Amino acid sequence: MQFLLVAIVAGPLLGAAAALLPAPPGLKGRSPDQAVLRHGVVVTGAILLAAIVLVLGFDHDRPSRMQATTDVSWIRALDVRIHLGVDGISLPLLVLTALLSFLCALYGYFRMPAGPSPKAFVALLLVLESGTLATFAALDLILFFLAFETVLVPMYFLIARWGGEGRRAAAWKFILYTLLGSVVMLLGLLLVGVKAGTFDMVALAADNGRGLTTSVQVIAVLAIGLGLAVKTPMWPLHSWLPDAHTAAPTVGSVLLAGVLLKMGTYGFVRILLPVAPDGMRTFAPYLAAFAVAGIIYGSLACLALVRPGGKGDLKRLIAYSSVGHMGFVLLGIATMTPTGVNGALFANVAHGLVTGLLFFLVGAVKDRYGTADLDTLAGATGAALYGRAPRLGALLAFAAVASLGLPGLAGFWGEMLALFGAFEPAEGLSRPAFLTFMAIGAFGTLLTAAYLLLVVRRVCMGGPRPVGETPIADVQGYEFAAWTPLVALTVLAGLWPAVLLGLTDPAVQQLLAGGTR
């Protein structure tokens, strides 16, 4: 199992190096470009298969225990180790990353975004996958930081080279915001490692902050939390996200929303909650306040974009919706309770599935109509997808109602558990304050339903296709293959939440109590 996890993390890096090499003569197919795109599908498919084998071999009776661990010395002078492992918290995010990377590679094989050589595109996609997988598997603070930073460069180039209008400015904004946050985060990680005498995340979690003074914990949470909040993104550090999503190619938006945003919230759970509990308790009310502000702000921004005459871009609207959805994740973490943290982890996975599907669908609408402008799509000759492409319209409506938290679909459970956690926060936190945050968050769910239903009405509804108008293609075979797993998992997680909660709950209980066994 330990070799399997190492192969999952390192495999995409080796695949990225191979993608830059000339394809063997027998594997070129119709063209070298087709060969390298097929290479990306094969490598990401193999990583997904390995991740599924890892799930099957995982000891589900002891999800709180780190499994498939590798621990070897790397930089002896600093006691930095290559320490990898998975538990019930990291395993779902590892599988989500492998799944979305494979679906993006498959989609890109048939719908390669306009831009430079496919070789660079596939190599960057694989480096991005490797960095994300390493982030969720790393158990050393320095290794976590390096993996956390690895994803920035490929995402920058995916936006800057294969993006749409305004891509260079959006890419620079993305890299500058995240790098500045990471500098502060590194200082916090070094402070923890030096004061505690180790960078090992398992040992630090088991110590549960006893080796760190309260003042050190407060400084560490402030520094590390700032870097994680930028990546999440938490309001008001979110302004890079709408531009990045609007300019990014479809697969870039899917990966950015589906897995990269999860790295920030995962860091809060894996590092700050167990390593600096006193510092987190100090900042938890502020984190919750920023979280609910993000929920309301994201919803109001979406309502402004969806109104007639608002010149709203559908990709930009979904980006702002992510600010609101990630607000529920942060609210759950801020409660510092098993209920709230489990809700945050569930909402993390649900957001990856549902928002990944939404960006796939919006990319398909934009490919067919040449625009994602809501006023254009809702005009007299606009989308009216129910009448022109009924399967595409039905899928967009499904993803919208899943995103608004319809009971029975994945989006419901995470938000509900986060609100329940706020109803009874951890000992030492102000219950009246968190009851206020709960009420504001609940009001945010109503605003979320409002703007998503308006999107469905404006984009999907309308009369049949006028006589003489050129028809548009409905869902194609490759689109069906790329989107069906996300639809199926959204339904499965909504109807059977124990699939995820059975993994995360024991691990969360142990983490909050003082580490992992």
Side-chain angles (χ1 to χ4, degrees), residues 19-248:
L20 299 175
L21 300 174
L27 299 178
K28 286 185 178 179
R30 292 194 299 270
S31 70
D33 288 351
Q34 184 197 47
V36 74
L37 291 171
R38 185 169 59 241
H39 170 81
V41 176
V42 171
V43 172
T44 55
I47 298 302
L48 175 59
L49 182 62
I52 294 172
V53 174
L54 183 67
V55 172
L56 296 176
F58 187 81
D59 186 354
H60 291 264
D61 293 329
R62 293 190 293 175
S64 63
R65 183 174 67 89
M66 280 296 170
Q67 302 181 36
T69 57
T70 297
D71 188 5
V72 297
S73 179
W74 183 27
I75 306 174
R76 291 185 181 274
L78 299 176
D79 193 29
V80 176
R81 310 183 68 81
I82 297 178
H83 192 183
L84 304 174
V86 291
D87 64 355
I89 293 172
S90 54
L91 185 64
L93 294 171
L94 202 78
V95 176
L96 177 66
T97 300
L99 173 65
L100 288 178
S101 298
F102 169 68
L103 297 181
C104 285
L106 180 64
Y107 188 85
Y109 177 77
F110 292 97
R111 195 82 186 185
M112 169 70 191
S117 164
K119 278 192 173 187
F121 175 79
V122 171
L124 290 169
L125 198 67
L126 292 173
V127 171
L128 181 66
E129 179 183 20
S130 182
T132 310
L133 291 169
T135 301
F136 296 136
L139 296 176
D140 182 278
L141 290 179
I142 301 302
L143 185 63
F144 173 87
F145 175 78
L146 294 175
F148 194 88
E149 294 305 290
T150 296
V151 304
L152 300 184
V153 174
M155 181 53 71
Y156 166 81
F157 282 109
L158 284 174
I159 297 172
R161 303 300 298 276
W162 287 272
E165 184 179 353
R167 59 185 183 272
R168 294 191 183 278
W172 272 111
K173 196 171 185 179
F174 162 76
I175 199 76
L176 289 175
Y177 264 74
T178 49
L179 278 179
L180 288 173
S182 296
V183 169
V184 181
M185 183 174 74
L186 177 59
L187 296 176
L189 295 174
L190 292 174
L191 174 66
V192 169
V194 169
K195 292 295 184 179
T198 180
F199 290 104
D200 187 89
M201 291 161 65
V202 175
L204 288 166
D207 187 63
N208 202 220
R210 287 182 287 271
L212 301 172
T213 65
T214 301
S215 59
V216 169
Q217 290 190 37
V218 168
I219 295 170
V221 170
L222 183 61
I224 299 171
L226 184 62
L228 297 173
V230 171
K231 184 65 73 73
T232 298
M234 180 185 76
W235 180 91
L237 305 174
H238 68 283
S239 60
W240 61 268
L241 184 69
D243 291 339
H245 270 309
T246 304

Side-chain angles (χ1 to χ4, degrees), residues 314-315 318 357-367 372 396:
L314 196 49
K315 288 186 72 176
I318 297 172
L357 177 60
L358 274 171
F359 275 116
F360 269 135
L361 293 167
V362 173
V365 170
K366 188 172 182 178
D367 288 339
L396 183 60

Side-chain angles (χ1 to χ4, degrees), residues 25 27 29 118-119 122 175 178 200 203 253 274-275 289 337 369 372 377 421 429 438 451 469:
L27 299 178
K119 278 192 173 187
V122 171
I175 199 76
T178 49
D200 187 89
S253 292
V275 174
T337 62
Y369 286 95
L377 294 175
L429 299 179
M438 183 193 73
Y451 71 74
E469 183 183 290

